Amino acid sequence: MATHSMIIPSSSSSSLAAPASPFKETLPLFSRSLTFPRKSWFSQFRLRFFAEKHSQQLESSNGCATNFASLQDSGDHLTEEHGTKEESTLSITVVGASGDLAKKKIFPALFALFYEGCLPQDFTVFGYARTKLTHDELRDMISRTLTCRIDQRENCGDKMDQFLKKCFYHSGQYNSEEDFAELNTKLKEKEGGKLANRLYYLSIPPNIFVDVVRCASLRASSANGWTRVIVEKPFGRDSESSGELTRSLKQYLTEEQIFRIDHYLGKELVENLSVLRFSNLVFEPLWSRNYIRNVQLIFSEDFGTEGRGGYFDQYGIIRDIMQNHLLQILALFAMETPVSLDAEDIRSEKVKVLRSMKPLLLEDVVVGQYKGHSKGGKTYQGYTDDPTVPNHSLTPTFAAAAMFINNARWDGVPFLMKAGKALHTRGAEIRVQFRHVPGNLYKKSFATNLDNATNELVIRVQPDEGIYLRINNKVPGLGMRLDRSDLNLLYRSRYPREIPDAYERLLLDAIEGERRLFIRSDELDAAWDLFTPALKELEERKIVPELYPYGSRGPVGAHYLASKYNVRWGDLGDA
């Protein structure tokens, strides 16, 4: 049943000017809130909505009711003292508003949520950056990237105008308390004395995370509502720097206020992973070493650094993709059944997986770097040809790795990761290769290559989202000839409506305090513990990456690594 927060007024309000952390000072107010401790009323509403939407065919493409504002009573809160409703407002501040991520992803995601009726009735969006812009200049910049749903274009222009009127801009330095104090004044003007909830999205380089959090904490936190901060990766470069970043943030924030975002966790097929496994009897009994031969996590981009080489060169493909995106998917895939769908139960199971894994060994890693190549009359630059990249850089743009989980379910099963830039195709997928059928009656039909007779489950995360299971079947005719066929769930055919962007889902979850798809600090520590030793050895020994042509399938060494564990990369048979 939906509930409202019962707020018992505090005897003393926190002061924004105090030297201690105001973010933390507001927490006693929350600890006295008489709410369900594990699941917000809106989360319960969403669960009911998803359960009902297929039968009722509600007009929504991302799970939000079109009349959300009325369903949530405009975000009002019922106070115990007066028995009356206290109106609330939501302020979303995008720090680094003039950057590419904000323009291409964050503002469009916020508009999509507004268009779908997923934002509260009373909300304000502020852009904050060092660039000098007026409100109208920000709105003009944002408007160029806003689009409406393909399947819902009614009143698109009107909706854009309404959204842009709620967008404002404040220019300031990232380390200036005075500039954030001015931002706080502007936020208060828009909030109009209502219960103020504030969400900060840090779309900025990690070296200024702490400065922004400090200034916002001391000068621009909410005095009577919640304050939350979304932090973008990378979360450090290794265990040491990540731990230092976490300790610095926690000087001003509690763990409950930090939302470490990995946008891959918001992708539809990744979120569907646990549904596929835990709600289908046909899969769960097979989900172990007894039936699964190997698991492959494959990420590829068909373009290079494209002028972002200076940034990429500081991290490389292992830190940029493997340690976060692919490892998070692996943890979701391999975790035990959680006690419930509560965020902490799910995240605790993921941490157990990570702590059960062997740290990555250098002998189980292959690194590569793309070189210049001419194809179809066009010349493609190599990685070190990028003017923003040092000439003799050893930073890998490709990596393949074999990892193992030391527990009863997965002992001995290789989890192979592969990620690279400037490859032959763009995509991300999970491939589950099952074991051979014992005493297969039809093995002669597959000659000596029994791998052709194994079943394979493929979960394609992007593009062309889909799930397909490869099975063996008889080709129609008088003879006995076998063929491999796909039982295919192609999302664009089964679900013609547009799939929401991952940032929409994650922003909505952060607003509602749903942490299931965000990374906890102990989870982050466990992830870095797996990769830091190999990363340090790669850099200390100055391992030279194997060169591969731009637009190819990557270095040959990746195939030797797979064959070491009697595995063939599943994407080799794809076009």
Side-chain angles (χ1 to χ4, degrees):
M1 183 176 71
T3 62
H4 292 282
S5 298
M6 304 290 290
I7 306 297
I8 301 175
S10 172
S11 58
S12 62
S13 59
S14 60
S15 170
L16 288 174
S21 167
F23 277 178
K24 291 185 177 181
E25 288 175 8
T26 61
L27 289 179
L29 178 67
F30 303 138
S31 66
R32 291 189 289 271
S33 298
L34 304 180
T35 61
F36 288 108
R38 287 180 170 268
K39 199 169 290 183
S40 70
W41 67 269
F42 181 61
S43 296
Q44 298 173 42
F45 160 74
R46 290 174 76 187
L47 289 173
R48 291 201 311 272
F49 175 78
F50 282 126
E52 296 170 359
K53 78 171 184 176
H54 292 297
S55 60
Q56 296 181 5
Q57 299 296 311
L58 298 181
E59 289 299 318
S60 173
S61 62
N62 72 348
C64 295
T66 53
N67 60 341
F68 172 73
S70 62
L71 287 171
Q72 68 159 1
D73 295 326
S74 302
D76 297 345
H77 292 257
L78 186 65
T79 60
E80 202 172 63
E81 180 179 9
H82 303 293
T84 58
K85 287 184 177 180
E86 181 181 0
E87 294 185 19
S88 68
T89 183
L90 172 65
S91 298
I92 303 169
T93 301
V94 180
V95 182
S98 58
D100 281 347
L101 178 64
K103 290 186 288 188
K104 295 178 180 178
K105 291 293 185 180
I106 302 171
F107 286 118
L110 288 171
F111 170 67
L113 291 177
F114 171 73
Y115 188 90
E116 294 284 347
C118 293
L119 295 180
Q121 185 173 359
D122 192 351
F123 78 94
T124 303
V125 176
F126 258 87
Y128 185 100
R130 290 174 296 198
T131 307
K132 298 291 184 181
L133 294 174
T134 64
H135 298 321
D136 287 338
E137 287 173 334
L138 174 75
R139 291 164 183 160
D140 180 63
M141 180 186 75
I142 294 173
S143 65
R144 299 172 194 168
T145 59
L146 300 187
T147 58
C148 290
R149 295 273 183 226
I150 294 174
D151 56 322
Q152 293 187 15
R153 293 193 179 277
E154 295 180 6
N155 304 319
C156 184
D158 292 341
K159 285 287 188 179
M160 284 187 183
D161 291 340
Q162 294 171 27
F163 176 77
L164 292 172
K165 288 178 182 177
K166 290 180 173 287
C167 296
F168 304 91
Y169 186 78
H170 181 72
S171 176
Q173 297 299 312
Y174 295 130
N175 60 353
S176 171
E177 292 185 24
E178 291 74 18
D179 290 342
F180 275 88
E182 294 175 6
L183 172 66
N184 182 61
T185 300
K186 293 182 178 180
L187 290 174
K188 283 185 173 181
E189 290 175 0
K190 302 300 179 184
E191 291 161 351
K194 299 177 182 178
L195 182 70
N197 296 320
R198 295 183 180 179
L199 177 66
Y200 288 87
Y201 196 117
L202 305 192
S203 178
I204 51 178
N207 61 309
I208 52 179
F209 282 169
V210 178
D211 284 338
V212 169
V213 167
R214 173 180 56 82
C215 295
S217 169
L218 297 177
R219 298 301 181 193
S221 64
S222 173
N224 60 358
W226 53 255
T227 303
R228 297 170 185 152
V229 179
I230 297 178
V231 183
E232 270 279 356
K233 76 173 183 69
F235 313 115
R237 298 187 77 256
D238 50 28
S239 294
E240 183 179 352
S241 59
S242 174
E244 178 59 31
L245 176 60
T246 295
R247 287 188 293 273
S248 298
L249 292 177
K250 286 187 175 181
Q251 293 179 28
Y252 308 101
L253 302 168
T254 66
E255 178 64 29
E256 289 70 26
Q257 293 173 284
I258 303 172
F259 288 71
R260 299 175 188 84
I261 190 172
D262 184 335
H263 74 273
Y264 254 67
L265 292 181
K267 289 188 176 292
E268 189 67 40
L269 268 295
V270 175
E271 194 166 17
N272 194 32
L273 187 57
S274 59
V275 177
L276 183 72
R277 175 181 169 189
F278 296 125
S279 69
N280 292 288
L281 185 60
V282 67
F283 289 121
E284 175 56 21
L286 306 180
W287 221 260
S288 74
R289 64 188 298 273
N290 296 326
Y291 296 98
I292 292 178
R293 189 159 54 104
N294 66 81
V295 179
Q296 302 175 19
L297 306 163
I298 300 172
F299 174 95
S300 62
E301 291 179 335
D302 56 1
F303 54 88
T305 52
E306 310 291 330
R308 293 182 63 251
Y311 167 81
F312 181 85
D313 200 67
Q314 301 175 48
Y315 297 97
I317 198 72
I318 297 177
R319 292 183 176 94
D320 193 41
I321 303 298
M322 281 190 170
Q323 186 272 339
N324 40 73
H325 297 337
L326 298 188
L327 190 62
Q328 284 294 314
I329 294 174
L330 186 156
L332 278 173
F333 177 94
M335 71 180 184
E336 297 297 320
T337 307
V339 175
S340 73
L341 292 176
D342 175 74
E344 296 312 309
D345 289 336
I346 292 175
R347 297 198 293 185
S348 293
E349 292 301 332
K350 289 168 62 184
V351 171
K352 289 179 185 178
V353 172
L354 297 178
R355 288 179 174 170
S356 298
M357 295 179 68
K358 300 177 183 178
L360 182 62
L361 300 175
L362 190 60
E363 64 193 47
D364 286 330
V365 181
V366 171
V367 294
Q369 187 183 95
Y370 67 86
K371 63 181 180 180
H373 181 61
S374 296
K375 184 178 180 180
K378 185 175 181 181
T379 301
Y380 298 90
Q381 283 190 334
Y383 176 67
T384 53
D385 295 329
D386 186 328
T388 63
V389 174
N391 290 332
H392 303 290
S393 173
L394 298 179
T395 300
T397 61
F398 175 98
M403 306 192 75
F404 296 86
I405 303 174
N406 289 333
N407 63 20
R409 182 182 291 272
W410 297 112
D411 185 37
V413 177
F415 284 78
L416 297 182
M417 294 182 177
K418 183 169 68 170
K421 289 182 172 293
L423 297 175
H424 71 294
T425 188
R426 169 182 172 267
E429 60 188 19
I430 308 164
R431 287 181 175 263
V432 185
Q433 294 185 348
F434 292 90
R435 294 192 180 279
H436 301 140
V437 176
N440 194 334
L441 295 174
Y442 297 98
K443 62 182 179 181
K444 291 183 179 180
S445 301
F446 296 97
T448 58
N449 189 2
L450 284 179
D451 287 347
N452 286 337
T454 58
N455 302 123
E456 185 178 34
L457 174 67
V458 181
I459 302 170
R460 190 185 301 116
V461 178
Q462 69 174 30
D464 298 327
E465 294 87 348
I467 302 170
Y468 60 92
L469 178 65
R470 287 188 167 165
I471 64 168
N472 301 315
N473 66 283
K474 178 183 175 297
V475 176
L478 298 178
M480 178 56 69
R481 188 162 61 91
L482 303 190
D483 187 26
R484 297 189 76 189
S485 300
D486 295 341
L487 303 179
N488 198 344
L489 168 60
L490 188 61
Y491 267 54
R492 67 168 179 258
S493 299
R494 178 66 178 85
Y495 307 108
R497 290 182 172 182
E498 185 177 354
I499 296 176
D501 185 77
Y503 282 92
E504 297 174 34
R505 177 175 287 108
L506 293 169
L507 278 165
L508 182 59
D509 281 352
I511 291 168
E512 292 304 321
E514 171 57 66
R515 295 171 176 83
R516 179 171 51 91
L517 299 178
F518 294 89
I519 302 170
R520 207 165 61 188
S521 61
D522 58 341
E523 190 178 347
L524 183 61
D525 293 342
W528 275 120
D529 287 345
L530 295 175
F531 281 90
T532 295
L535 284 167
K536 284 190 174 180
E537 196 171 354
L538 276 170
E539 291 166 357
E540 289 172 358
R541 293 175 55 180
K542 300 186 184 302
I543 302 295
V544 178
E546 180 183 345
L547 297 179
Y548 62 94
Y550 192 117
S552 68
R553 290 183 178 269
V556 175
H559 304 291
Y560 287 113
L561 175 65
S563 64
K564 175 181 175 181
Y565 295 104
N566 196 27
V567 174
R568 183 178 185 270
W569 290 107
D571 60 336
L572 293 183
D574 296 343

